[in-house]
């Protein structure tokens, strides 16, 4: 995922986003949608990927409120027309120019001795809104919304976005409670028609947590199906490097920066699962090899002791809701469908060259500093250019019928999957039907 930031940041270039006007005014929808609308039986709630939820930040001292989008994940082409960069977007929404350099410290998390993450004192962060303004909440996905609008969905009515604070892992932000409120509202307005919970990338982990932890009878009554676009259902191996390299930059092209802050436990403290990665070598430092069970040692060796401590708390293997699928292989309470790309070389980790040292006082790799190497060799595997097939195929361990529930699309990249016609066709098929029957993807 780390070197797929390019893939994540390039998508949708050249597409007219019309972010300052209602989507219907710039949609490519056909003039006559009545027949299409009549076929749509389920509203869609969409959960975006890492860094692609618009967040509102309030700082008590000084008294400042502004909006934030991760620069590397949200190129200028997806921002409101008045903004030419993510920095401009924040300044236009209330960030004083004099405080630009304070944003990274404000958004960083404090990790205590028990590994629990907290906002910085006097800083509050939440989505700009939830399910009421798709283009504002999830601007990166406006082309996806336009596509669905052309098929009969109504943006901010039968199609909503469900943003979240991605700095925190599932269960540690307001996503599940916000989702419950929104779904109840939509279902009531749709004459009790259940919604399809669609998601992309890290958003799928949030969706999975909600479906595993909310009341099963409520889920069955209100959720028609889960539909994942290149969903993340495990820890991310190459993302771990973000814990021990410089954090995000206002410059999305900065080659030394990662897309996130090295304290953001939402992605960095999930651990890696042997059930997903098997015995694959994911990191190497000289002759030292690190596999999924070695994450704690990798983080310590690389000097990321805060995230190592947080991993002991937030590791997915320690979460009962996650182990229902990962270990017990219990299906969800509702049907689930998954589409993702493959056949693209994808980074799963890095090979660092350990420099020679004769110092008796420098026995650890953290002391040597070899993990600070700017351009380590990449360790590649099959994937979609963003997430590896190890990650994308994780649901095979707990979904009901792999041949029915999962569709692999060779050559489709991590970001392109959400605008690939075949994938959108399958979402539409999942949302269309009678009763509780959900069509297979084959």
């Amino acid at each position: 995922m780390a070197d797929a930031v390019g893939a994540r940041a390039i998508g949708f270039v050249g597409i007219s986003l019309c972010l300052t006007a209602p989507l219907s005014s710039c949609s490519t929808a056909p003039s006559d949608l009545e027949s299409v609308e009549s076929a749509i039986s389920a509203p869609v709630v969409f959960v975006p990927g890492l860094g692609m939820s618009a967040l509102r930040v309030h700082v008590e001292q000084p008294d400042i409120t502004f909006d934030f989008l991760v620069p590397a994940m949200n190129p200028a082409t997806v921002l409101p027309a008045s903004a030419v960069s993510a920095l401009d977007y924040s300044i236009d929404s209330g960030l004083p120019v004099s405080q630009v350099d304070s944003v990274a410290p404000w958004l960083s998390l404090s990790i205590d001795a028990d590994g629990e993450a907290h906002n910085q004192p006097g800083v509050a962060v939440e989505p700009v809104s939830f399910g009421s303004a798709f283009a504002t909440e999830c601007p990166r996905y406006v082309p996806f919304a336009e596509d669905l609008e052309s098929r009969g969905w109504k943006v901010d009515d039968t199609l909503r976005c469900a943003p979240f604070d991605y700095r925190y892992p599932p269960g540690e932000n307001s996503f599940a409670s916000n989702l419950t409120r929104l779904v109840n509202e939509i279902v009531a307005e749709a004459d009790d028609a259940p919604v399809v919970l669609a998601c992309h990338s890290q958003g799928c982990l949030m969706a999975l947590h909600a479906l595993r932890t909310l009341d099963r009878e409520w889920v069955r009554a209100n959720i028609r199906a889960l539909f994942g676009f290149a969903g993340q259902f495990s820890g991310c191996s190459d993302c771990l490097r973000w814990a021990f390299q410089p954090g995000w930059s206002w410059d999305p092209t900065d080659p030394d920066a990662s897309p996130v802050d090295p304290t953001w436990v939402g992605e960095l403290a999930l651990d890696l699962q042997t059930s997903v990665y098997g015995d694959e070598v994911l990191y190497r430092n000289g002759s030292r090899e690190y596999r999924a069970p070695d994450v704690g040692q990798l983080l310590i060796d690389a000097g990321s002791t805060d995230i190592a401590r947080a991993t002991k708390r937030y590791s997915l293997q320690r979460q009962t809701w996650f182990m229902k699928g990962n270990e017990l292989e219990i299906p969800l309470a509702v049907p689930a469908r998954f589409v993702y790309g493959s056949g693209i070389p994808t980074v799963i980790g890095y090979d660092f060259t350990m420099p020679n040292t004769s110092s008796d006082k420098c026995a650890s790799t953290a002391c040597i500093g070899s993990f600070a190497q700017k351009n380590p060799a990449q360790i590649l595997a099959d994937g979609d250019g963003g997430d590896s097939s190890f990650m994308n195929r994780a649901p095979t361990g707990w979904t009901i019928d792999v041949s029915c529930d999962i569709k692999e699309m060779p050559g489709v990249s991590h970001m392109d999957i959400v605008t690939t016609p075949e994938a959108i066709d399958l979402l539409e098929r999942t949302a269309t039907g009678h009763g509780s029957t959900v069509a297979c993807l084959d």
Side-chain angles (χ1 to χ4, degrees):
M1 187 184 291
D3 283 304
V5 172
R8 296 173 186 272
I10 292 172
F12 310 137
V13 173
I15 298 177
S16 176
L17 299 182
C18 305
L19 285 172
T20 58
L23 288 180
S24 58
S25 69
C26 61
S27 169
T28 56
S31 59
D32 184 5
L33 290 177
E34 284 79 5
S35 60
V36 178
E37 288 181 336
S38 64
I40 301 302
S41 60
V44 170
V45 174
F46 179 78
V47 192
L50 172 67
M52 290 176 273
S53 297
L55 299 180
R56 180 148 295 153
V57 182
H58 177 69
V59 183
E60 290 182 359
Q61 294 294 333
D63 186 7
I64 294 171
T65 299
F66 63 94
D67 297 341
F68 177 80
L69 284 164
V70 172
M73 301 296 194
N74 298 275
T77 52
V78 310
L79 300 173
S82 61
V84 297
S85 67
L87 176 57
D88 282 344
Y89 167 81
S90 289
I91 291 173
D92 289 348
S93 65
L95 174 67
V97 174
S98 62
Q99 298 292 342
V100 165
D101 292 339
S102 299
V103 175
W106 285 337
L107 289 176
S108 66
L109 298 177
S110 173
I111 300 174
D112 66 24
D114 294 324
E116 184 174 4
H118 307 270
N119 286 348
Q120 296 299 329
V123 177
V125 180
E126 61 184 357
V128 294
S129 58
F130 195 91
S132 61
F134 196 110
T136 300
E137 296 158 351
C138 308
R140 185 71 189 267
Y141 295 94
V142 167
F144 166 81
E146 290 179 329
D147 197 338
L148 266 64
E149 190 175 42
S150 75
R151 295 166 182 253
W153 276 273
K154 294 181 180 179
V155 177
D156 299 331
D157 181 7
T158 55
L159 172 62
R160 310 287 190 102
C161 192
F164 59 94
D165 185 351
Y166 41 77
R167 300 175 306 147
Y168 287 92
E172 301 295 329
N173 54 28
S174 61
F175 176 77
S177 59
N178 286 343
L179 179 70
T180 303
R181 175 189 53 76
L182 178 64
V183 169
N184 284 337
E185 172 190 318
I186 295 170
V187 170
E189 294 175 355
D191 298 324
D192 294 329
V195 309
V196 170
L197 184 58
C199 57
H200 177 235
S201 197
Q202 190 201 35
C204 290
L205 198 59
M206 291 293 161
L208 178 66
H209 166 264
L211 295 182
R212 290 287 190 194
T213 57
L214 294 174
D215 180 77
R216 286 177 69 85
E217 293 308 312
W218 181 91
V219 170
R220 289 193 182 100
N222 293 282
I223 306 295
R224 174 177 173 81
L226 172 68
F227 192 95
F229 291 92
Q232 178 183 348
F233 298 101
S234 69
C236 170
S237 60
D238 62 296
C239 301
L240 284 179
R241 186 187 173 206
W242 301 344
F244 46 90
Q245 71 177 110
W248 65 273
S249 167
W250 287 115
D251 177 5
T253 65
D254 185 341
D256 297 329
S258 80
V260 305
D261 187 89
T263 64
W264 289 358
V265 295
E267 187 65 82
L268 304 181
L270 301 178
D271 212 345
L272 301 179
Q273 295 69 50
T274 303
S275 61
V276 172
Y277 293 99
D279 197 43
E280 290 290 320
V281 174
L282 303 172
Y283 284 79
R284 187 179 291 111
N285 194 312
S287 61
R288 177 72 163 95
E289 295 180 338
Y290 301 86
R291 295 170 172 80
D294 305 320
V295 168
Q297 191 61 51
L298 168 65
L299 292 169
I300 291 171
D301 288 350
S304 184
T305 54
D306 284 352
I307 291 295
R309 195 165 62 253
T311 298
K312 293 180 180 180
R313 183 183 187 92
Y314 299 119
S315 169
L316 291 176
Q317 293 95 297
R318 292 175 176 265
Q319 314 307 316
T320 301
W321 65 267
F322 181 79
M323 297 307 289
K324 287 179 180 179
N326 190 62
E327 183 175 277
L328 302 179
E329 300 183 354
I330 299 174
L332 295 174
V334 294
R337 302 290 183 262
F338 311 96
V339 296
Y340 54 85
S342 63
I344 302 174
T346 300
V347 179
I348 60 169
Y350 295 90
D351 188 344
F352 294 83
T353 301
M354 183 180 292
N356 293 326
T357 177
S358 58
S359 173
D360 294 334
K361 299 179 181 179
C362 192
S364 73
T365 52
C367 177
I368 296 170
S370 57
F371 278 105
Q373 182 180 338
K374 288 186 176 181
N375 296 296
Q378 298 173 343
I379 299 176
L380 302 174
D382 182 69
D384 62 14
D387 287 351
S388 69
S389 291
F390 295 116
M391 294 176 66
N392 284 328
R393 293 170 180 158
T396 59
W398 46 263
T399 196
I400 295 174
D401 182 348
V402 172
S403 64
C404 172
D405 301 345
I406 295 178
K407 180 75 172 181
E408 196 168 297
M409 298 183 178
V412 178
S413 71
H414 189 75
M415 286 306 307
D416 286 347
I417 191 73
V418 294
T419 52
T420 295
E422 182 183 1
I424 302 299
D425 288 345
L426 295 174
L427 171 61
E428 185 172 12
R429 184 193 301 178
T430 299
T432 306
H434 300 285
S436 59
T437 301
V438 176
C440 288
L441 298 185
D442 52 14

